[in-house]
């Protein structure tokens, strides 16, 4: 049985594998000076508009560090949700590499709002305190919830009014766009996001992420930061070719919509079991649930998934582009067998 541990567990979209194979022959200029990279950047500009800068990197942690390094100094602070990936799952990389302090905010659903952010809006100009400079939003959040366009715009307007910037950790931004049924630009560039880490690996690519700067006044010297962060791939064409493949004919959105639908199906099946309690709205490709603690290990042995909150016996099930209806049926049957 395929597991529900992470969308990082999934394989590679056939179109991506084909693109890698086709780009593997012959010679091409290195470090992004190649036709594949030029094509992928043009593909992103078709989606988000001409006035953006695009930088390809190896992984999500690198994408987030590159994004945030461009907007901060070591005396700055980055405001984020307590559950944000940059806070809990990157081994302190953001603070180590940017030198900036993370100011975290407890939330019920992983989403920030202006009222919560206000708690850290103090001590501006005081040399004894870090200076907040960036608000980092995760879309979709680490709890599988999705910011609406209005929610994003309110935060961006607030940040810019206080001479701050907004970063979007978009490792699963495709799932958010598929859920909202909106244009990609409408919840990024148009609401005022300054920079976004654009996910590829969780949505069918073998490796590679993109950093998209909507605030191009800041991005002119980012190429030097990327090099220092060891995120400049010498054979950039192999990242770029994958992005062109997933962006073609909206494959990235179709893959995300499928994983969202599978998560909704799983949630619908799980909530019919009396001993299962869903803890978050299922808006993307993740399902969070509390199940009997003494059954978790046996279920994991049959079909792996992660425990999200050990104290609460809360687990996380993640669907991917390659999750099938049969996978959902088999896992739902396993849940009924063990929990009923």
């Amino acid at each position: 049985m395929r597991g529900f541990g992470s969308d990082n567990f999934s394989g590679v979209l056939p179109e991506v594998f084909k693109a890698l194979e086709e780009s593997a022959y012959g010679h091409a200029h290195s470090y992004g000076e190649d036709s594949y990279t030029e094509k992928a950047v043009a593909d992103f500009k078709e989606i988000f508009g001409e006035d953006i800068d695009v930088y390809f990197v190896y992984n999500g942690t690198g994408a987030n560090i590159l994004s945030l390094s461009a907007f901060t100094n070591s005396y700055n602070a980055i405001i984020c949700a307590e559950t944000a990936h940059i806070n809990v799952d990157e081994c302190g990389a953001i603070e180590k590499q940017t030198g900036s302090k993370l100011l975290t905010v407890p939330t019920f659903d992983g989403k920030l709002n202006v009222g919560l952010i206000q708690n850290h809006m103090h001590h501006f100009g005081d040399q004894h305190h870090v200076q907040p400079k960036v608000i980092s939003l995760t879309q979709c959040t680490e709890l599988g919830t999705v910011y609406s366009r209005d929610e994003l715009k309110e935060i961006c307007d607030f940040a810019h009014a206080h001479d701050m910037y907004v970063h979007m950790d978009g490792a699963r931004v495709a799932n958010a766009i598929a859920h909202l049924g909106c244009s990609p630009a409408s919840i990024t560039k148009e609401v005022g996001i300054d920079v976004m880490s654009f996910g590829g690996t969780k949505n069918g690519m073998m490796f590679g992420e993109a950093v998209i700067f909507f605030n191009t006044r800041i991005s002119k010297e980012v190429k030097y930061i990327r090099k220092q962060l060891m995120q400049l791939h010498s054979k950039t064409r192999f990242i770029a070719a994958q992005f062109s493949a997933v962006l073609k004919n909206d494959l990235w959105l179709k893959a995300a919509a499928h994983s969202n639908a599978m998560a909704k199906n799983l949630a619908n099946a799980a909530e019919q079991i009396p001993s299962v309690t869903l803890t978050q709205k299922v808006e993307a490709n993740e399902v969070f649930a509390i199940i009997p603690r003494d059954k978790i290990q046996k279920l994991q042995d049959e079909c792996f998934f992660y425990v999200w909150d050990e104290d609460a016996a809360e687990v996380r099930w993640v669907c991917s582009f390659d999750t099938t209806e049969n996978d959902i049926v088999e896992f739902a049957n396993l849940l009924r067998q063990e929990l009923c």
Side-chain angles (χ1 to χ4, degrees):
M1 190 184 301
R2 243 187 297 248
F4 293 90
S6 171
D7 32 17
N8 285 328
F9 285 21
S10 64
V12 177
L13 284 161
E15 294 86 347
V16 167
F17 201 84
K18 182 180 178 182
L20 281 166
E21 184 178 32
E22 290 176 348
S23 62
Y25 298 97
H27 285 208
H29 281 289
S30 56
Y31 301 110
E33 301 295 327
D34 61 273
S35 60
Y36 295 95
T37 301
E38 183 180 4
K39 169 77 165 58
V41 170
D43 292 338
F44 273 114
K45 289 185 175 182
E46 281 191 19
I47 296 171
F48 294 104
E50 287 292 324
D51 52 338
I52 62 171
D53 284 332
V54 182
Y55 295 86
F56 297 114
V57 297
Y58 284 110
N59 54 41
T61 301
N64 286 332
I65 294 171
L66 182 64
S67 300
L68 294 165
S69 294
F71 292 91
T72 58
N73 291 299
S74 58
Y75 53 82
N76 287 134
I78 300 160
I79 299 172
C80 64
E82 194 173 57
T83 54
H85 196 274
I86 63 172
N87 181 49
V88 299
D89 282 316
E90 290 183 339
C91 195
I94 303 300
E95 291 177 312
K96 181 179 189 296
Q97 299 298 333
T98 69
S100 298
K101 182 177 179 61
L102 294 182
L103 298 177
T104 62
V105 180
T107 71
F108 292 107
D109 58 2
K111 294 200 289 186
L112 296 178
N113 58 52
V114 170
L116 295 173
I117 294 167
Q118 287 275 18
N119 293 329
H120 287 304
M121 300 296 289
H122 304 295
H123 305 298
F124 287 98
D126 187 336
Q127 64 185 335
H128 300 289
H129 296 271
V130 291
Q131 302 295 290
K133 197 63 181 177
V134 177
I135 298 169
S136 181
L137 309 174
T138 311
Q139 177 80 313
C140 309
T141 73
E142 291 299 299
L143 298 180
T145 53
V146 174
Y147 286 96
S148 70
R149 186 183 191 281
D150 289 345
E151 289 171 327
L152 292 168
K153 189 167 191 317
E154 181 181 20
I155 292 172
C156 289
D157 288 347
F158 175 82
H160 297 153
H162 289 82
D163 193 29
M164 295 172 65
Y165 302 103
V166 182
H167 162 249
M168 178 178 284
D169 182 345
R172 295 187 177 97
V173 71
N175 300 91
I177 295 167
H179 169 73
L180 294 171
C182 63
S183 72
S186 69
I187 62 164
T188 53
K189 180 181 178 182
E190 292 175 11
V191 296
I193 299 296
D194 292 287
V195 62
M196 172 172 63
S197 305
F198 184 97
T201 309
K202 294 182 186 298
N203 198 32
M205 283 175 43
M206 184 179 289
F207 63 92
E209 313 286 295
V211 178
I212 303 176
F213 285 86
F214 303 109
N215 186 339
T216 56
R217 293 181 295 104
I218 302 296
S219 56
K220 299 309 178 186
E221 297 184 348
V222 166
K223 61 184 178 182
Y224 307 115
I225 301 174
R226 178 175 61 173
K227 179 66 174 180
Q228 287 188 332
L229 291 174
M230 297 176 285
Q231 288 291 322
L232 176 58
H233 189 13
S234 59
K235 296 182 179 180
T236 308
R237 60 173 156 157
F238 295 118
I239 298 177
Q242 293 180 76
F243 271 116
S244 286
V246 297
L247 295 178
K248 185 177 180 180
N249 298 324
D250 289 337
L251 178 60
W252 62 297
L253 295 176
K254 294 170 184 175
H258 174 80
S259 59
N260 287 2
M262 292 300 100
K264 181 66 72 174
N265 289 350
L266 175 54
N268 289 341
E271 68 180 352
Q272 302 304 314
I273 301 172
S275 56
V276 175
T277 302
L278 301 186
T279 58
Q280 297 291 338
K281 291 184 291 185
V282 180
E283 296 181 328
N285 64 323
E286 299 172 283
V287 180
F288 292 81
I290 293 174
I291 65 176
R293 187 185 308 276
D294 61 342
K295 301 293 185 179
I296 291 176
Q297 185 60 60
K298 191 170 192 314
L299 287 168
Q300 285 178 313
D301 290 341
E302 294 288 333
C303 182
F304 184 77
F305 54 85
Y306 284 109
V307 177
W308 182 257
D309 184 336
E310 293 187 11
D311 292 335
E314 183 182 23
V315 300
R316 184 191 73 167
W317 301 318
V318 186
C319 295
S320 306
F321 77 89
D322 59 354
T323 302
T324 67
E325 293 277 5
N326 191 58
D327 293 331
I328 302 300
V329 170
E330 287 188 3
F331 187 58
N333 287 339
L334 177 64
L335 290 176
R336 281 190 287 268
Q337 174 185 319
E338 296 298 331
L339 303 182
C340 291

